[in-house]
Amino acid sequence: MSSERALLQALAELKANPEQSAAVAETRHCIVLAGPGSGKTKTLTTAMARVLAQDVVEPRGVACVTYNNECAIELETRLARLGVVPGDRAFIGTVHGFALSQVIGPYARCVPIGLPANFRVATRLEARAAVEVAYRNVINGTDNPHQRWEFASEKRKRDVDRSRPEWLRRNPELAAFIETYEAELRRQGLLDFDDMPLLAYRMIKENVWIREALRARFPVLFVDEYQDLGHALHELVLLLCFEGGIRLFAVGDADQSIYALAGANPELLESLTRRTDVRTIKLRFNYRSGGKIIRASLGALGEERDYRGVDGAPEGDLSFWEAPYGLDSQAQVIADTIIPKLIEQGFEPGQIAVLYRTAKLGNKVAVALKDADIPFVRTDTNALVKRSSRFARFIEECARWATGGWRDADPSYARLLSQAITLVFGRHASEREEQDLSAQLMAFLNASIETAETTNAWLQRLSRELITPWSDVARNSEQEWQVCDEMIANTDPACDLDLSLAHFAGRIEGAGRVNLSTLHSAKGREFDAVIMYGVNNTDFPSDRDKRTPAGLREARRLFYVGVTRPKKHLSLVFQEQHFSPWVLELYQRSQKQ
């Protein structure tokens, strides 16, 4: 299907929903408030494709900033169906990626920001060492420098504009700590991830010509998951869009703001909806969940919202499971009773998810499922493949190609080569560089077809044959070569962790692996059936949640995110007589018609 025809079809599909249709057609600043299952991504990607086709004349394009690489990958996949691919006319990536590739990289040599031409991103160890140097020089106390840095990091993310009085007025010692830390990084030709949007902001604010250059290239800025992106992105939006003339199209949901520790603040999104120069559109229909689950979700949130299901959709189902003892007992109930029962009812294992608050809890579920011989895949911080890492996803796709994908181009070699070029060189490489990289990649992949290697042996060969030569010529400042080392350690045969390459690639059991995920990692995803594990009165909310009203509100939003993931079925698992008080509210609300 041609890109023009695909766009026309997408526009026609949205006509049944007046809010979505109005958002896509809007030509002013627009904020789309999109609740769970409301078609947020479809609205955003269709709007991007329409703007590129109708509003923006080549060679100008659009930029789309989102929370993490996983969100960016999902947007790229959806946009490809509409004929939009990342390139000169479309930037799709994180706020850090935008700052680095569109501001710092092109203009750092033109303005004095203290970075050499060959700057790179600091490793975790380099950043920690710089913290220790700065602590000795500024504070020289007896406490843990990294614990003190947690407070400094919070200030650094919040006080983006250092020309404002509050930068020095609010805790000048922390301001000095931050500035000394950054000076130590610059001395070594380094910057860290938090540096990226902060430096980009300062460069744009102090150099109007950079702002004008960005507007010339990207007259429209799209922002996905605005509520998660924090103060640096918000200040960039105010600077680029409301002072610099770039049109803003942002989607978000303050009810799903669950990243306060990373600097997210739902008030930033809400502040935009109060502006008179912004049109706010609310998406009311939930296309994901049945009516009973929608009602239950509002009980989980504890607030009224004008969300409704689609006429004729099944109501969905809820079940509540009490375990006689603590978390181990609850994990056993999931493995021995709930999952087998769901499979008996016709749910595919790959469409069942077990959600929990921390990866440590995921370990308990993983042990129970392994003992019950139930295949699973983890997408938390203990996952073999980190969903937020583009390099990890590339490695997994190489495994898929080697274990059968080469037959039906799933994935295609062209896609793998394009990913490799981006990972090694950024967006652009010379013809010779592309040829050399392609020869290395093809030689490795051909040697992998029908290999008898286990995942660990295959990863070690990948490290030798690809990562070693690629790291010597790489120009991409956001390198993730250590991810392969982590995967090698996580498949160590000496610890009984190794697995077949086909299993690693998802070729064995296919969709037959139950999903294990933290609630944070599950955000933005959907499943036919969701099991929420550990919904106890000491965990939802926890004592830590109760310390501040803001902490309690965020915990409630996290609970809400979990409840809104299922399409058809939700199970809540807790200790007998010790369920979360929010479970009762959820149950009572679900019973209303």
Side-chain angles (χ1 to χ4, degrees):
M1 184 186 297
S2 70
S3 58
E4 182 180 359
R5 186 178 171 191
L7 174 58
L8 290 174
Q9 181 176 320
L11 291 170
E13 290 171 357
L14 294 185
K15 285 184 178 178
N17 185 312
E19 290 90 0
Q20 287 181 325
S21 190
V24 167
E26 184 56 58
T27 57
R28 298 167 294 172
H29 294 313
C30 182
I31 301 296
V32 179
L33 300 180
S38 61
K40 176 263 296 180
T41 304
K42 184 174 184 178
T43 304
L44 176 65
T45 52
T46 305
M48 280 185 67
R50 189 204 67 76
V51 167
L52 281 168
Q54 299 176 2
D55 294 357
V56 177
V57 179
E58 289 191 67
R60 306 178 84 193
V62 301
C64 181
V65 173
T66 190
Y67 178 68
N68 58 27
N69 281 326
E70 179 61 27
C71 295
I73 292 167
E74 172 65 15
L75 289 175
E76 288 176 7
T77 302
R78 298 278 195 99
L79 284 164
R81 298 170 193 158
L82 298 172
V84 178
V85 296
D88 290 337
R89 292 200 71 211
F91 169 86
I92 305 165
T94 64
V95 64
H96 300 86
F98 178 81
L100 186 62
S101 66
Q102 306 302 317
V103 183
I104 299 172
Y107 305 119
R109 283 172 283 186
C110 306
V111 295
I113 60 170
L115 282 174
N118 61 341
F119 71 86
R120 62 178 176 83
V121 180
T123 66
R124 181 173 176 272
L125 290 178
E126 288 170 332
R128 286 178 65 86
V131 165
E132 291 164 8
V133 169
Y135 180 83
R136 286 196 301 270
N137 290 340
V138 174
I139 299 173
N140 199 27
T142 57
D143 57 341
N144 185 320
H146 302 290
Q147 290 180 345
R148 181 70 68 92
W149 180 252
E150 290 179 8
F151 296 99
S153 179
E154 182 179 340
K155 175 180 176 61
R156 190 179 181 213
K157 293 172 184 174
R158 183 187 63 242
D159 295 342
V160 177
D161 188 345
R162 297 181 185 177
S163 67
R164 295 173 186 163
E166 55 263 32
W167 171 249
L168 291 175
R169 189 173 61 213
R170 287 198 298 220
N171 204 321
E173 184 180 63
L174 287 185
F177 188 10
I178 293 165
E179 290 172 351
T180 306
Y181 162 78
E182 291 172 347
E184 176 61 20
L185 288 184
R186 301 296 179 272
R187 187 184 66 79
Q188 302 177 57
L190 302 173
L191 76 167
D192 68 7
F193 279 94
D194 287 339
D195 261 327
M196 296 175 190
L198 300 176
L199 278 174
Y201 174 80
R202 270 172 256 161
M203 291 170 66
I204 295 167
K205 183 177 178 63
E206 295 167 7
N207 300 274
V208 174
W209 64 270
I210 295 179
R211 191 185 317 173
E212 292 174 347
L214 288 170
R215 183 178 62 178
R217 185 173 183 192
F218 302 124
V220 184
L221 173 66
F222 291 84
V223 182
D224 183 29
E225 304 286 8
Y226 197 101
Q227 76 283 347
D228 292 333
L229 286 161
H231 290 267
L233 182 277
H234 185 67
E235 294 289 349
L236 278 170
V237 164
L238 296 179
L239 193 58
L240 289 171
C241 299
F242 299 105
E243 291 184 38
I246 292 175
R247 191 210 309 173
L248 174 67
F249 185 104
V251 296
D253 181 10
D255 292 335
Q256 296 185 72
S257 180
I258 55 174
Y259 293 104
L261 288 176
N265 181 352
E267 168 58 24
L268 302 178
L269 172 63
E270 292 170 350
S271 70
L272 293 183
T273 67
R274 295 191 290 268
R275 294 183 64 108
T276 58
D277 53 353
V278 170
R279 181 180 181 186
T280 299
I281 297 174
K282 296 182 180 180
L283 304 186
R284 296 173 297 156
F285 289 96
N286 184 326
Y287 295 95
R288 175 187 300 155
S289 304
K292 180 178 272 190
I293 295 175
I294 294 172
R295 294 192 297 273
S297 72
L298 297 180
L301 183 63
E303 296 181 27
E304 288 299 319
R305 294 290 184 270
D306 183 24
Y307 294 143
R308 60 194 70 176
V310 180
D311 290 343
E315 276 282 273
D317 189 33
L318 293 166
S319 62
F320 303 85
W321 298 83
E322 293 183 320
Y325 304 111
L327 292 165
D328 290 323
S329 176
Q330 293 165 50
Q332 207 65 47
V333 167
I334 291 171
D336 294 346
T337 306
I338 301 177
I339 291 177
K341 187 177 180 67
L342 288 171
I343 293 173
E344 186 180 303
Q345 292 172 356
F347 288 94
E348 292 288 337
Q351 281 299 315
I352 298 172
V354 184
L355 308 183
Y356 36 82
R357 288 201 72 164
T358 66
K360 185 176 180 181
L361 296 183
N363 294 341
K364 294 180 179 294
V365 180
V367 168
L369 295 191
K370 191 171 184 179
D371 290 345
D373 201 25
I374 296 174
F376 60 88
V377 58
R378 296 183 70 164
T379 55
D380 55 28
T381 53
N382 288 338
L384 178 55
V385 178
K386 292 179 172 58
R387 298 176 75 238
S388 62
S389 166
R390 286 183 178 270
F391 187 48
R393 295 291 290 269
F394 167 74
I395 292 173
E396 186 181 38
E397 290 210 343
C398 285
R400 286 187 60 80
W401 190 94
T403 54
W406 57 274
R407 293 190 185 93
D408 51 7
D410 178 27
S412 68
Y413 178 74
R415 173 179 169 82
L416 293 178
L417 179 60
S418 175
Q419 289 175 329
I421 290 169
T422 301
L423 289 166
V424 178
F425 299 113
R427 292 293 179 195
H428 302 289
S430 70
E431 184 177 348
R432 179 58 185 271
E433 287 172 333
E434 288 190 18
Q435 290 173 348
D436 290 346
L437 189 145
S438 179
Q440 292 164 341
L441 178 61
M442 181 55 76
F444 172 77
L445 291 175
N446 281 339
S448 302
I449 294 176
E450 298 181 358
T451 180
E453 293 171 308
T454 64
T455 298
N456 184 267
W458 182 82
L459 288 169
Q460 291 198 49
R461 185 164 62 83
L462 182 146
S463 180
R464 291 192 306 271
E465 297 179 13
L466 296 186
I467 294 178
T468 297
W470 289 359
S471 60
D472 289 339
V473 298
R475 290 196 300 272
N476 186 354
S477 299
E478 292 185 88
Q479 295 167 13
E480 300 179 292
W481 309 127
Q482 78 285 352
V483 167
C484 187
D485 293 334
E486 294 170 5
M487 296 168 83
I488 290 170
N490 290 339
T491 56
D492 186 354
C495 300
D496 195 27
L497 297 173
D498 207 356
L499 66 163
S500 73
L501 188 60
H503 190 286
F504 168 70
R507 297 290 185 185
I508 289 181
E509 285 97 29
R513 296 182 289 176
V514 172
N515 299 275
L516 305 189
S517 175
T518 61
L519 288 158
H520 284 91
S521 295
K523 186 171 173 295
R525 305 178 70 192
E526 61 183 26
F527 308 92
D528 286 345
V530 165
I531 303 164
M532 288 184 64
Y533 163 60
V535 192
N536 306 303
N537 59 3
T538 54
D539 299 299
F540 280 102
S542 68
D543 288 341
R544 181 172 182 173
D545 297 330
K546 297 173 185 175
R547 290 177 188 171
T548 64
L552 190 60
R553 286 195 299 271
E554 174 148 319
R556 184 121 196 184
R557 292 195 296 266
L558 185 65
F559 185 61
Y560 173 71
V561 164
V563 172
T564 54
R565 296 310 94 197
K567 299 178 185 177
K568 302 175 183 177
H569 179 89
L570 174 66
S571 289
L572 294 105
V573 185
F574 42 82
Q575 186 176 347
E576 193 173 35
Q577 302 301 315
H578 290 85
F579 53 82
S580 163
W582 300 335
V583 169
L584 182 59
E585 292 182 58
L586 178 153
Y587 171 77
Q588 292 172 337
R589 183 59 189 262
S590 70
Q591 300 306 302
K592 294 181 179 180
Q593 296 297 323

